Amino acid sequence: RDKDLDRLSGLPDKVLLQIISLLPLKEIVRTSLLAIRWKDLFSLVSDINIDDNNVIRKSLGNGYMNIVERFLFSRKRDVGIDKFRLKCGKIVDPFRINGWIQYALGYHVKELDLTIGIKGFNELNFGVFTCKTLVILRLSMDKGSILSVPTYFRLPNLKVLHLGLMKCSDDGSVDRLVSGCISLEELHLRNCEVSNLNKLRVCNATLKKLFLSGFMGTDHEIEIITPNLVHFSYYYSGTKGFSLINLNSLSEARIYIGPYLFSTVDFAPTATALMNGISQARSLYLTLYSSKPILLTPGLVPQFPNLTYLNLEMGGCLPEWKILLANSPCLDTLALDFEFSGSGLESHNNGRDETEKVPGCLMYKVKTIKLLSFQGKPFESQVVEYLLKNAKVLERFTVRLSGKKRLRTKISKEVRALSRVSKKCQVTII
């Protein structure tokens, strides 16, 4: 009967190890006291999570660090490390950090996740740049820390690299690191300090996914040479130059332009280069929170010959999104998100023949339209009327409402009552 009650202990070692790996390190060690079945189980853990945020008082720091080291040296020597996560900055002494990292490297670690929030910590263990077993590396450091990449390093099996909250030592630091990873498939650069750089260069033939966001500094140029890139995400935070070379394999692009553009930077050349660089994309997610939609200025928007899906999130006044539609002849699905949109939309009918302005894709290609965060404002209703009037082959028209229930009921009736040019069009209100 007692055995029936202790069903947890009856689980296989593999399952129990997955469970206790989710616990704070101190609790993992305590599991050895539960029963004989658990006595040595903690020493087989291959996913290690060291986080000094779990320490309530700074005065307990020495005790916590001793627990960490006792745990590390109590592990079975023939058990490798799949994942080693170290998050510190509260109470861990800097001189112990590289020792713990070296321990993980010595056990053929596959995934290394380092968040080091210690001011001025610049002497990262050199072995991090020469680990042959490393597949995933996430490195986030204090804003004052400098990433110094050695001239020689070798990460032959690294597929995923995340760099965040750090300062690059020189123009070639990121380029050396990225180009030297011969198996790299995914790269994240987030909130890095680039004010001391002239050029941030990302050149890699195997890279498939690239995420750039939150750079601190506007006097740099960005150059991207990634012929096999299929996904590109970019959060615009200011740059004086942009060069995207040979992105012919691009499948999906996600571009975010914030609520303001830097007055010290001429954004037009950057916008032109950016739009030209992603013009081969098949799916485009474009977020414009700026009241000056420079990105959609006539003459800056290139042809998007492969684009079949467009998701446009709009803020401020409604951008001239029809320019983008006019240059996307194969567009099949259009999604418009009005969550942060305001008033100020100019009338679609400005005295000219409306039929001359209708993009070809809207009349002959677009079969699915989704309107998100729809509140029934006058200019939003204007958009609905325009789309239903001109989308001749439209099959699915979905409107996701937001706002108070009484207003949603009213808007729903109004939308359903609108005439539509397509006889196949099915309207769904959510």
Side-chain angles (χ1 to χ4, degrees), residues 199-200 212 215 220-224 234 239 241-244:
K199 179 181 286 189
L200 178 67
L212 305 178
F215 292 150
H220 62 285
E221 296 180 8
I222 297 178
E223 184 179 66
I224 298 172
Y234 178 58
T239 178
F242 216 118
S243 178
L244 292 141

Side-chain angles (χ1 to χ4, degrees), residues 280-294:
Q280 299 301 313
R282 296 170 181 82
S283 298
L284 174 59
Y285 295 76
L286 188 58
T287 300
L288 299 171
Y289 288 166
S290 172
S291 60
K292 299 177 181 179
I294 299 176

